[in-house]
């Protein structure tokens, strides 16, 4: 457990990381380093995106499954690690 | 009138229609039920007794020409219009002009339906006075005939019409032109009737079925299908007990996917109520293995994002500029780093790419570095002691995918002096330490706490080293009885012994190779006094003894990987010597700085290139270029002294470790010429130098 906390701290201190959000499988955030409104917004929107992405991948081949999702935008990059019970979002701006 | 309408105050009226069905209207309010019809009844009778002398001829046009019995049943609304009832009798006369022969029998049949009055228990004992009187004759319908004189003008027309009518009547029965059809002329008054019933609770459940959900339900989740259906049924049951407002919530979330729709909507309602996840759930989630894996993947992606260019340069890939980063915002160092892989730099250069360092390794001396044999991106680094931390020795396995934190950290009881990865079992790492212990650990399993069950120590071994282990090597040996090669671990320590650890899984077997008398070669074991540490390092065969430096202790010896009988030795007498096999004097000697040479290594890519680490410089020599001066010199930062060197086999990089715990990666750009120099070139140089 301490190791997980340590890893999260290391991730937070990586270059350009703007925030980390951990949410459960329904899109309710359970841990976050952003402010409340942003957290809720990210969690809800990313949850929708995840459902769509996962269903896309699995519709093409049901034996396949989504393991990682990266959304690169002009200002930053949103990286999403999904799972059955949770999903982890990290927002990074690497040119910071 | 068979209605003995006695003005008894309370009677329950029962109404039956012609089929004897009870069509008694159920009153909503019990108080007034009895009064209404009775009142109405009375009113009607009064009117009738008054005769038909009402002048109001309102042609309401509505079908208030009710038969007598039905008027009794009317509601209070009708009772207000009962004054019009008498009028309706008049209007019936008006209707007589029309041909409505059909309805007369209906009216008459209705008239005869009886009305029964119920006698309650209370009224049974009452004495009733019954008055009987005869009412006037009531004429319901009177159709007087119309007489036309036969001498009138239109008598002919009337006669014709009469004849036609007679014929019509005759032909009517059975004629196809005519059809019996009933027409309702009555418009019964509307009565509001309210019904109370239990509200039906509804709950909506939706699911979105896709191909993969069907796949899941067929294949993957069969084991817990039984468990899940039970839980789902429970949850469906509880859902139906919810109020309608919550049912709305579940419908709005029903569009979410899969078999989890029922369960998820239930959970969502709970979370809407609670708005928090319990602490234990959070802990459970965060400590799960998949979460570790996600964190790992995330960290690597983050690091890779920052280091995209450096890694590309490392792997000799073309470095692409980021299209969204505006050029003026780049710092000058970035621009330089960007430009250096391009051939704008004149001549060979060392480019610093990154450093493997973290807070664990701060202040520790890098003693040994080795690449993994199977995974060329995995680097194991052995560290010595640092002043601040607790564990005296440390082994870190770094991966190129994450340069900010090592993948594995193993803390040891004494400073680590030698490392090697096994060839046959690529996840086994042999660690030699300053107190003479040789340890084998398995880096494949990720253990958060260093459980010594993974390690094999040489501590219990009676013949173990007691002096610092200087070098470790896994060597492949051929066993005479078997055909395959077995791997043995050879270690050399300062106490002068070379130990071979056979069957590394069981570290009890040990064979001793004497340094002095080797079966293969006669050695000159002179210089005992001066050469304290000696290294036997063989990339090819074990058991060879070597000649030693004349002046100072030999620190390291390296065979050339491309040229099979040439090797380098470096020592603290400031020189690096190039030896050829079967010669007792060095073929070439290199010295450029007045410092002890700590490490020297051949470059695996070119036969004539090797690197040398002094205390404060890294030198890259290219024998083709010059045998007197190094090709490249890179000076270390003032407070740092470099301690070890390692080349990469698949790319043009060199790793340099220093005494502050950093392992820096340098790209050797332009060092290697276009065609790889091979052994022949080296041989030529050596011959040339020897012949002088």
């Amino acid at each position: 457990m301490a190791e997980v906390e340590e890893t999260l701290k290391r991730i937070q201190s990586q270059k350009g990381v703007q925030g980390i959000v951990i949410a459960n499988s329904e899109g309710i955030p359970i841990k976050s380093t952003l402010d409340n409104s942003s957290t809720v917004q990210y969690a809800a929107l990313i949850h929708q995106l995840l459902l769509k992405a996962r269903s896309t991948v699995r519709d093409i081949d049901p034996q396949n499954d989504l393991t990682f999702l990266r959304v690169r935008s002009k200002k930053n990059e949103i990286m999403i690690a999904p799972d059955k019970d949770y999903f982890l979002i990290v927002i990074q701006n690497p040119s910071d | 009138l068979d209605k003995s309408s006695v003005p008894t105050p309370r009677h329950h009226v029962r109404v039956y229609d012609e089929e004897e069905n009870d069509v008694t209207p159920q009153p909503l309010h019990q108080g007034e039920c009895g009064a209404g019809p009775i009142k109405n009844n009375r009113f009607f009778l009064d009117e009738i007794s008054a005769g038909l002398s009402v002048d109001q001829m309102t042609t309401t046009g509505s079908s208030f020409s009710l038969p007598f019995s039905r008027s009794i049943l009317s509601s209070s609304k009708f009772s207000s219009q009962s004054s019009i009832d008498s009028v309706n009798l008049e209007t019936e006369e008006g209707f007589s002009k029309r041909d409505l022969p059909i309805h007369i029998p209906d009216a008459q049949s209705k008239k005869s339906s009886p009305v029964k009055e119920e006698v309650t228990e209370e009224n049974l004992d009452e004495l009733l006075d019954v008055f009987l009187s005869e009412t006037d004759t009531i004429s319901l319908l009177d159709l007087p005939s119309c007489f036309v004189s036969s001498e009138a003008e239109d008598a002919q027309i009337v006669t014709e019409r009469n004849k036609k009518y007679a014929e019509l009547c005759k032909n009517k029965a059975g004629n196809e032109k005519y059809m019996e059809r009933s027409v309702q002329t009555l418009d019964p008054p509307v009565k509001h009737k309210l019904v109370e019933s239990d509200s039906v609770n509804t709950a909506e459940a939706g699911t979105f079925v896709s191909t993969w959900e069907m796949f899941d339900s067929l294949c993957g989740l069969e084991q817990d299908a039984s468990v899940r259906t039970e839980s789902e049924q429970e949850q469906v049951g509880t859902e139906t007990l919810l109020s309608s407002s919550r049912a709305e919530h579940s419908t709005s979330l029903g569009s979410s996917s899969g078999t989890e729709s029922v369960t998820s909507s239930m959970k969502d309602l709970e979370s809407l109520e609670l708005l928090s996840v319990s602490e234990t759930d959070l802990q459970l989630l965060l400590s799960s293995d998949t979460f570790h894996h996600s964190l790992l993947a995330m960290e690597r992606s983050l690091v890779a994002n920052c280091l995209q260019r450096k890694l590309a340069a490392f792997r000799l890939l073309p470095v692409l500029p980021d299209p969204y980063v505006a050029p003026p915002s780049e710092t000058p160092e970035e621009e330089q780093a960007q430009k250096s892989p391009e051939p704008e730099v004149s001549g060979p250069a060392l480019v610093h790419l990154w450093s493997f360092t973290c807070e664990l390794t701060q202040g520790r001396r890098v003693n040994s570095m080795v690449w993994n044999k199977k995974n060329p991106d995995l680097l194991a680094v052995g560290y010595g002691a640092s002043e601040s931390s607790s564990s005296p020795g440390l082994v870190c396995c770094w991966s190129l995918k994450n340069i900010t934190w090592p993948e594995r950290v193993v803390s040891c009881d004494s400073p680590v002096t030698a490392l090697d990865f096994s060839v046959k079992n690529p996840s086994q790492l042999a660690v030699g330490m300053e107190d003479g212990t040789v340890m084998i650990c398995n880096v494949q399993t990720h253990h958060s706490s260093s459980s010594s069950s993974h390690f094999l120590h040489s501590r219990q071994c009676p013949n173990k080293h007691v002096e610092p282990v200087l070098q470790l090597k896994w060597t492949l040996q051929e066993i005479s009885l078997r055909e395959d090669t077995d791997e043995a671990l050879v270690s050399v320590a300062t106490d002068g012994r070379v130990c071979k650890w056979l069957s590394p899984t069981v570290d009890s077997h040990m064979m001793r190779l004497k340094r002095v008398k080797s079966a293969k070669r006669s050695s000159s074991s002179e210089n005992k006094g001066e050469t304290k540490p000696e290294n036997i390092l063989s990339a090819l065969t074990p058991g060879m003894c070597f000649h030693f430096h004349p002046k100072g202790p030999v620190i390291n010896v390296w065979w050339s990987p491309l040229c099979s009988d040439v090797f380098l030795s470096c020592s603290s007498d400031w020189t690096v010597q190039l030896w050829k096999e079967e010669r007792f004097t060095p073929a070439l000697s290199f010295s450029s700085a007045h410092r002890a040479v700590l490490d020297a290594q051949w470059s695996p890519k070119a036969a004539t290139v090797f690197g040398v680490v002094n205390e404060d410089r890294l030198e890259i020599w290219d024998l083709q270029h010059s045998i007197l001066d190094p090709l490249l010199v890179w000076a270390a930062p003032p407070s740092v002294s470099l301690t070890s060197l390692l080349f990469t086999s698949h790319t043009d990089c060199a790793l340099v470790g220093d005494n502050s715990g950093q392992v820096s990666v340098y790209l050797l750009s332009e060092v290697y010429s276009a065609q790889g120099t091979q052994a022949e070139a080296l041989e030529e140089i050596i011959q040339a130098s020897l012949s002088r």
Side-chain angles (χ1 to χ4, degrees), chain B residues 23-45:
Chain B
V23 293
T24 314
Q26 300 290 332
L28 282 178
H29 195 66
Q30 290 295 325
E32 304 163 3
C33 68
I38 302 298
K39 197 167 60 162
N40 191 18
N41 185 13
R42 209 188 294 158
F43 201 2
F44 188 63
L45 283 176

Side-chain angles (χ1 to χ4, degrees), chain B residues 82-102:
Chain B
S82 58
S83 57
I84 309 174
D85 285 346
S86 52
V87 177
N88 292 337
L89 296 178
E90 300 264 343
T91 55
E92 280 209 14
E93 292 182 3
F95 287 151
S96 65
K97 296 281 190 319
R98 303 186 198 168
D99 287 336
L100 294 172
I102 304 164

Side-chain angles (χ1 to χ4, degrees), chain A residues 1 3-4 6-8 10-11 14-15 17 22 24 26 28 30-31 51 55 58-59 62-63 68 70 72 74 77 79-81 83 85-86 88 90 92 94-95, chain B residues 210-212 215-216 256-257 264 267-268 271 277 282-283 285-288 290-292 294-295 297-299 301-303 305-306 322 324-325 402 404-405 446 448:
Chain A
M1 192 54 212
E3 198 184 315
V4 167
E6 238 184 68
T7 313
L8 281 172
R10 276 207 314 271
I11 290 181
Q14 286 284 348
K15 181 175 170 244
V17 170
I22 306 175
N24 67 357
E26 285 91 41
I28 314 285
I30 52 182
K31 204 164 153 72
L51 289 177
S55 76
R58 296 206 71 194
D59 273 344
Q63 291 178 333
F68 206 82
R70 290 170 88 150
R72 184 79 177 91
K74 276 196 218 167
E77 178 166 5
M79 285 180 269
I80 304 142
D83 188 70
D85 308 317
Y86 65 89
L88 167 69
V90 175
Q92 186 197 24
S95 52
Chain B
S210 61
T211 51
W212 52 272
F215 176 84
D216 272 347
S256 64
S257 57
S264 69
K267 280 187 207 162
D268 227 331
S271 64
V277 180
L282 180 67
Q283 300 280 339
L285 192 97
L286 293 185
S287 55
S288 64
T290 50
F291 193 70
H292 282 186
S294 297
L295 280 178
M298 188 65 78
E299 199 176 354
S301 315
L302 286 171
V303 170
N305 256 350
C306 303
D322 194 355
Y324 292 110
V325 174
N402 184 358
T404 58
W405 194 261
H446 185 91
S448 52

Side-chain angles (χ1 to χ4, degrees), chain B residues 367-368 382-384 392-395 412 414-419 431-434:
Chain B
N367 282 330
S368 167
Y383 298 90
L394 199 65
V395 175
C412 313
S414 76
V416 175
T417 51
L419 283 179
V431 182
M433 292 187 259
E434 201 171 350

